[in-house]
Amino acid sequence: MESSAKSGRPGAHPVHTEKQSVSRTRWEHIRKNSFLYILLAPALFLTLLFKYVPMYGAVIAFKDFSPIRGIMHSDWVGLKHFEKFLTSPNFEVIFMNTLKLSAFGLICGFPIPILLALMLNQVRRKGIKKNIQLFLYAPNFVSVIVIAGMLFIFLSPTGPINQIVSWISSQPLMFMTDPEYFRWVYILSDIWATAGWASIIYVAALANVDPELHNAASLDGASLLRRIWHIDLPTIKPIMAIVFILAAGGIMSIGFEKAYLLQTSMNLPASEIIATYVYKIGLQSGDYAYSAAVGLFNSLINVILLLGVNFIVKKLNDNEGLY
């Protein structure tokens, strides 16, 4: 055995030989596709630079950070900032506002792009279909600032919406100042702005459905709804699962810009969310360590939700999930 190993005959070290073979094959693959890897390099570099390197700054959530002393020389305080946030009198209000706004937005907004895609798929005339798609996709290209300005104009006490309301009731509705209306104004305007664009992925998937399946089902007497249920929906089911998992995983990462732009001193009880709270505490008040702890807590909740929703979807979807 020893002489065989020293002589290096085939079969002396099968595991080592197999590893060498895999390594050689991998390097040959990289060499043959070197141009593609060169094209990929800038994207990888930018991802590392802007996504992974800044993660080092999360350390300040566990420190009594001072800009003068720097991250390395600031004193460790452990979970002090997390305890401060969790015991804060504002915690329950801010956390529930964020959760409600995101959860209601997901529940109301998730089915809309699917319905739009299914309806678009039934439009056979290409010219009409393109015009409808253009009309649906256009709001996605409107700036958030412009949308916020439009909402303040249309929903103001003297705006066109309240003029219609005044014909029905004598008193206008305070859409932008009453906390009861803020959540629905935010969600409905978000659906209007993003639903059309979000339907693109479903429209693309439905384009792969063989028309012969619909023709055969029609000959068998299947109605339109049955054909959609048994042909179209199973086609986009895996995409629906992935999109839902990603949306649920980011349920606490609701957009900061729009919530902040629509925020007023009177609707603050419903509009103050974690993102706006972090901005005010971190950039306006200068408490960077505390704001970093709040942001890290928010990210941790997102990770837990992502893993939990993925586990549930895999159980309900024949073991098909995000990973």
Side-chain angles (χ1 to χ4, degrees), residues 134-300:
L134 179 63
F135 177 77
L136 292 174
Y137 300 163
N140 181 73
F141 301 98
V142 180
S143 170
V144 177
I145 297 175
V146 175
I147 292 175
M150 291 169 59
L151 290 173
F152 273 105
I153 292 172
F154 286 116
L155 300 178
S156 67
T158 57
I161 303 298
N162 266 315
Q163 287 182 6
I164 297 173
V165 172
S166 298
W167 294 343
I168 303 171
S169 62
S170 58
Q171 193 160 356
L173 299 176
M174 302 293 106
F175 290 106
M176 305 307 296
T177 56
D178 193 334
E180 293 183 4
Y181 295 115
F182 172 82
R183 193 169 292 121
W184 293 112
V185 169
Y186 185 100
I187 292 172
L188 294 176
S189 62
D190 202 52
I191 292 173
W192 169 78
T194 61
W197 185 257
S199 68
I200 288 179
I201 188 172
Y202 301 112
V203 172
L206 289 170
N208 295 323
V209 177
D210 189 353
E212 294 299 325
L213 293 174
H214 281 278
N215 294 335
S218 297
L219 291 174
D220 289 338
S223 64
L224 176 61
L225 292 178
R226 281 193 171 275
R227 282 185 276 129
I228 291 174
W229 184 263
H230 293 287
I231 298 174
D232 292 340
L233 283 178
T235 302
I236 61 175
K237 184 181 176 183
I239 298 174
M240 290 167 55
I242 293 173
V243 171
F244 181 77
I245 292 170
L246 292 175
I251 201 169
M252 297 296 290
S253 298
I254 191 167
F256 155 78
E257 297 90 350
K258 189 176 176 183
Y260 187 71
L261 290 169
L262 296 179
Q263 197 173 83
T264 65
S265 57
M266 299 184 72
N267 65 23
L268 204 60
S271 63
E272 186 74 305
I273 59 175
I274 291 179
T276 58
Y277 183 70
V278 168
Y279 169 76
K280 293 174 182 177
I281 295 296
L283 294 181
Q284 292 185 351
S285 301
D287 196 347
Y288 303 111
Y290 179 57
S291 63
V294 177
L296 193 59
F297 169 80
N298 191 37
S299 300
L300 180 61

Side-chain angles (χ1 to χ4, degrees), residues 249 298-308:
N298 191 37
S299 300
L300 180 61
I301 297 296
N302 278 332
V303 171
I304 294 172
L305 287 172
L306 177 65
L307 297 176

Side-chain angles (χ1 to χ4, degrees), residues 104-120:
F104 291 163
L106 178 61
I107 294 170
C108 298
F110 180 74
I112 304 299
I114 300 171
L115 294 174
L116 288 176
L118 293 172
M119 289 188 289
L120 281 171

Side-chain angles (χ1 to χ4, degrees), residues 59-135:
V59 175
I60 67 174
F62 305 95
K63 290 194 169 191
D64 187 11
F65 175 70
S66 170
I68 298 175
R69 300 178 65 183
I71 297 177
M72 294 294 295
H73 301 288
S74 297
D75 297 329
W76 285 94
V77 293
L79 301 176
K80 173 185 174 182
H81 300 304
F82 294 92
E83 294 175 358
K84 178 182 177 181
F85 177 59
L86 293 174
T87 56
S88 168
N90 298 323
F91 169 74
E92 185 177 354
V93 175
I94 296 171
F95 182 81
M96 292 307 299
N97 282 345
T98 307
L99 187 61
K100 288 178 181 178
L101 206 58
S102 300
F104 291 163
L106 178 61
I107 294 170
C108 298
F110 180 74
I112 304 299
I114 300 171
L115 294 174
L116 288 176
L118 293 172
M119 289 188 289
L120 281 171
N121 193 51
Q122 300 304 318
V123 180
R124 300 307 176 192
R125 296 185 61 179
K126 290 186 178 180
I128 296 176
K129 186 174 182 179
K130 286 183 179 179
N131 290 331
I132 294 173
Q133 286 177 313
L134 179 63
F135 177 77

